[in-house]
Amino acid sequence: MRRSQSVLIVDDSSIIQQTTKLILINGQFQSANIFCASNASEAVKFCQQQTFDILFLDFNLGFGSTGLQLLERLHHNALLQHSPLIFILTADDSPAVLMGFSEYQPDDYLVKPLRLNTLKQRLEYSFEQRAMNDRAFMHYQQVGISGIELMCTQHTPPLTIHCTTITAVAKRLLNQKQPHLYDDISALLTLLQRLYQTFPAQLLLIQLWLQQQNFTALGPLLTQLRSSYPNHLMVLEYSACAALLQNKITQGYDFWLQAHNISKNNLQRLLGLLWIESHFQNHSAMQQHLREAISYLRHSVWDKPCYHAFIIWLQLQHSDKKNLPIERLWRTISQQKTITKNERPFIYLLQAWQYLDNDNNLGAYKSYSAAQDAIHHIDPENHSFEFDAIALCISKRLAMTRHQTDCYQRLQHNLLQRQNEPHSIIKNMWLETMQPTSNHQTDDQYRYALRLVKQKYYIEAGQIILQLWPHYRFDDVLARCLVELFSRGYVDNDPQHQPWIKEARWTFESQDFKPEWYLKLKTQYRSLQRPLY
């Protein structure tokens, strides 16, 4: 069996990699099935390409992510659904490190330097337990719950092994995320409670009740566990999730903050804190957490443009860095000399926000349009939530009604795919405050103005379009009508209207490839030849 098992060793030390590999070969593992990665990014790529039976993860991976951040990413990307054996390699066995890993329930911890006999003993124990887990799951598949009860009565290993086995079967069923299995999972855990009230089984019961949103049963158990394990990360994380799913945002924030103060490596939790602090304008806490996010995000497996943009967006709103060049702020986080193609849409978007802060609406619109064009070429269907959230705020500030509606609908769709995640609860709360205000009267006026243009009632159409412009700024259709009517003298030259006419012209002037009709009109009318800046 061992010869066929695949192993991934993740360690930044080539010596540790080779030493661990030799120990495994000596333990009858096949060399061709043993793979090595020097950092978290390599490890993620390996796990995307194939499944591994055993993972050895170093905590300190040198430059980049820690082993803890790697484990967070593998769980978040559902790359460990097959439940491999996970061993943590660390020279630091301090409570803070072990507590951080406890969120992901590894099978064992191995303190460096590795000893051949110690590794063999730990592997033997883990293999025996895993074999028993597999037999129990097979019994369940053949005859259901009674098969596991029969197995427990026929075999007499230590009680703790039975508890671990039943918990493992229940966890495997829960990972399938099939509601029709919930009754069997509950029955298994009830059986376990009769044998022995184990903490892992209680945590699994909490997971089940969270998926079912059974808050009546969940509340008392969480209260009991917080009393018994006040600083346990998983208890605090589940407490936060339960509170947030019930829209108890302040309570959820407090649990998340307590967990973060115990272990600061969980970047998803940290980003959740920032979303809440942003919504409630908690500036002092936000500044501290922004600094931590920049420190932990850099070169980690969470190092993505959307998170960079979110952090800089918060900085632009709530710090003394709001007037610094966007590319400079970006490089501070990424530590890169050049901006990549995938990062460019976010740069444009943040520049648009900065232009708005400096009352430069024309510059803001041009950058906003550049961002939309760039993201469309990269990924037209799947914008990140962060991109559309910033775009929605910009379109709202520019009073671009149609853009607001488009961004809002994409954000709603994004949240619908993840509606039961704690982050989605917070983001949905924020999104509700950003809902575009539908005005049927202005929509009717919009359609009426276009009919007047078609019927050649140009003066009346121009008056209505000027009234509509503050609600539909940079709208392509209205902009064309306004430019054509202005150039032909159907719109008066009132100084109050000049900024709107400039914006209508800029809708086309800002384009790299200007429409033919606009270029032709520009050659005919001197009023369109005046520079906008």
Side-chain angles (χ1 to χ4, degrees):
M1 178 182 175
R2 293 192 189 180
R3 293 180 63 83
S4 63
Q5 289 187 321
S6 58
V7 181
L8 178 63
I9 302 166
V10 187
D11 200 298
D12 62 322
S13 167
S14 59
I15 295 175
I16 297 294
Q17 289 179 15
Q18 294 307 313
T19 301
T20 309
K21 186 173 182 177
L22 287 172
I23 292 174
L24 292 171
I25 292 172
N26 190 45
Q28 299 179 1
F29 286 86
Q30 193 170 8
S31 176
N33 292 335
I34 303 174
F35 300 82
C36 296
S38 299
N39 54 58
S41 296
E42 284 183 20
V44 170
K45 289 177 183 176
F46 270 121
C47 291
Q48 288 171 335
Q49 293 165 1
Q50 68 178 90
T51 57
F52 291 94
D53 300 302
I54 306 172
L55 297 173
F56 290 93
L57 307 180
D58 184 24
F59 169 66
N60 187 354
L61 293 175
F63 187 71
S65 280
T66 64
L68 183 51
Q69 289 169 338
L70 168 60
L71 203 50
E72 178 189 359
R73 177 65 180 275
L74 294 176
H75 272 277
H76 185 79
N77 285 14
L79 295 173
L80 300 178
Q81 295 287 72
H82 59 295
S83 299
L85 289 172
I86 298 176
F87 295 91
I88 305 303
L89 305 175
T90 178
D92 181 1
D93 59 349
S94 63
V97 171
L98 300 183
M99 181 61 76
F101 278 109
S102 71
E103 285 193 83
Y104 305 104
Q105 298 177 299
D107 292 273
D108 211 340
Y109 299 89
L110 298 169
V111 179
K112 296 179 182 180
L114 290 178
R115 305 287 186 214
L116 176 60
N117 289 337
T118 302
L119 180 56
K120 281 185 174 181
Q121 289 172 2
R122 301 289 181 86
L123 284 171
E124 287 296 339
Y125 174 82
S126 297
F127 288 149
E128 288 175 9
Q129 182 66 65
R130 182 57 60 94
M132 190 167 182
N133 297 347
D134 290 341
R135 287 197 300 273
F137 190 74
M138 185 174 65
H139 278 288
Y140 166 79
Q141 290 179 310
Q142 291 171 348
V143 290
I145 300 294
S146 59
I148 301 208
E149 290 177 326
L150 182 64
M151 181 179 175
C152 289
T153 56
Q154 287 180 343
H155 299 276
T156 56
L159 186 60
T160 54
I161 294 182
H162 274 321
C163 293
T164 302
T165 299
I166 297 172
T167 304
V169 173
K171 185 176 181 179
R172 194 178 298 188
L173 292 175
L174 190 61
N175 284 340
Q176 295 181 25
K177 297 182 179 179
Q178 299 292 331
H180 70 274
L181 296 175
Y182 287 168
D183 287 343
D184 281 359
I185 298 168
S186 182
L188 280 170
L189 295 174
T190 301
L191 169 63
L192 186 55
Q193 295 291 79
R194 291 206 306 266
L195 295 172
Y196 188 68
Q197 288 193 354
T198 66
F199 182 56
Q202 289 173 320
L203 290 177
L204 201 61
L205 199 55
I206 289 172
Q207 282 185 266
L208 173 64
W209 287 340
L210 273 173
Q211 288 191 21
Q212 294 176 310
Q213 299 204 7
N214 183 357
F215 300 118
T216 303
L218 192 58
L221 181 55
L222 280 171
T223 301
Q224 173 196 328
L225 292 182
R226 283 198 304 273
S227 176
S228 302
Y229 309 95
N231 293 319
H232 196 282
L233 287 176
M234 291 186 71
V235 173
L236 292 171
E237 179 70 23
Y238 291 150
S239 297
C241 291
L244 293 169
L245 287 170
Q246 297 174 83
N247 286 314
K248 299 176 181 177
I249 307 300
T250 302
Q251 190 180 84
Y253 174 82
D254 290 339
F255 287 132
W256 258 353
L257 184 60
Q258 187 179 344
H260 175 71
N261 289 332
I262 295 169
S263 175
K264 299 181 183 294
N265 286 284
N266 189 314
L267 283 165
Q268 282 291 286
R269 184 160 54 228
L270 180 54
L271 292 169
L273 290 173
L274 285 169
W275 268 107
I276 296 176
E277 288 158 359
S278 172
H279 183 74
F280 289 108
Q281 302 291 303
N282 186 349
H283 296 165
S284 57
M286 187 191 302
Q287 295 305 319
Q288 174 61 31
H289 290 147
L290 280 172
R291 288 191 291 270
E292 291 177 357
I294 292 170
S295 173
Y296 296 128
L297 185 65
R298 188 180 301 152
H299 305 301
S300 77
V301 287
W302 292 105
D303 196 348
K304 292 183 176 180
C306 59
Y307 299 126
H308 291 191
F310 176 59
I311 290 170
I312 294 174
W313 183 47
L314 295 182
Q315 286 182 322
L316 293 178
Q317 297 176 68
H318 307 293
S319 79
D320 55 0
K321 296 181 174 60
K322 60 170 55 182
N323 292 318
L324 292 178
I326 298 300
E327 292 195 6
R328 177 177 167 185
L329 290 171
W330 194 276
R331 290 191 185 100
T332 300
I333 296 177
S334 67
Q335 294 291 290
Q336 296 175 170
K337 293 182 179 180
T338 58
I339 305 296
T340 68
K341 179 182 177 182
N342 289 342
E343 294 170 327
R344 187 56 65 183
F346 296 94
I347 298 289
Y348 290 142
L349 208 57
L350 294 167
Q351 286 172 339
W353 182 273
Q354 201 171 55
Y355 277 129
L356 283 172
D357 283 343
N358 293 310
D359 297 321
N360 185 345
N361 293 339
L362 301 186
Y365 175 73
K366 183 174 183 178
S367 289
Y368 175 88
S369 299
Q372 295 291 347
D373 289 343
I375 202 72
H376 181 77
H377 284 99
I378 293 170
D379 195 352
E381 299 298 329
N382 299 311
H383 300 184
S384 69
F385 186 91
E386 289 74 13
F387 181 90
D388 280 328
I390 300 171
L392 174 61
C393 291
I394 292 170
S395 60
K396 197 175 184 71
R397 292 178 70 182
L398 282 172
M400 297 191 297
T401 301
R402 299 192 183 283
H403 285 273
Q404 286 181 62
T405 302
D406 290 345
C407 288
Y408 186 82
Q409 289 175 349
R410 283 198 300 269
L411 288 166
Q412 278 188 314
H413 178 74
N414 186 300
L415 291 178
L416 193 62
Q417 310 305 307
R418 305 170 178 83
Q419 56 186 335
N420 291 325
E421 294 180 6
H423 276 234
S424 295
I425 303 299
I426 302 161
K427 291 173 180 176
N428 193 62
M429 176 185 67
W430 171 83
L431 188 58
E432 286 176 357
T433 67
M434 299 297 294
Q435 185 170 1
T437 52
S438 177
N439 191 324
H440 296 295
Q441 184 178 355
T442 56
D443 287 345
D444 290 341
Q445 283 183 308
Y446 184 101
R447 290 187 286 270
Y448 178 57
L450 297 186
R451 282 201 302 272
L452 289 175
V453 171
K454 191 173 182 179
Q455 294 167 2
K456 300 184 179 180
Y457 294 110
Y458 296 137
I459 294 177
E460 187 180 353
Q463 291 172 347
I464 295 176
I465 290 172
L466 286 171
Q467 294 172 6
L468 287 171
W469 188 258
H471 307 284
Y472 295 92
R473 292 164 73 189
F474 300 105
D475 180 275
D476 286 359
V477 177
L478 288 188
R480 177 170 181 172
C481 293
L482 192 54
V483 167
E484 290 185 335
L485 294 175
F486 167 73
S487 63
R488 294 182 173 122
Y490 293 110
V491 174
D492 61 60
N493 212 12
D494 189 327
Q496 182 183 349
H497 300 153
Q498 287 304 306
W500 300 343
I501 294 168
K502 286 178 69 173
E503 288 177 356
R505 282 184 57 196
W506 188 246
T507 305
F508 309 106
E509 284 284 353
S510 62
Q511 296 178 17
D512 292 332
F513 301 99
K514 299 172 183 56
E516 282 295 326
W517 68 265
Y518 181 76
L519 293 174
K520 184 177 180 181
L521 206 65
K522 197 172 177 182
T523 61
Q524 295 175 347
Y525 296 98
R526 186 173 295 178
S527 59
L528 297 182
Q529 296 169 12
R530 296 171 191 156
L532 292 174
Y533 278 103

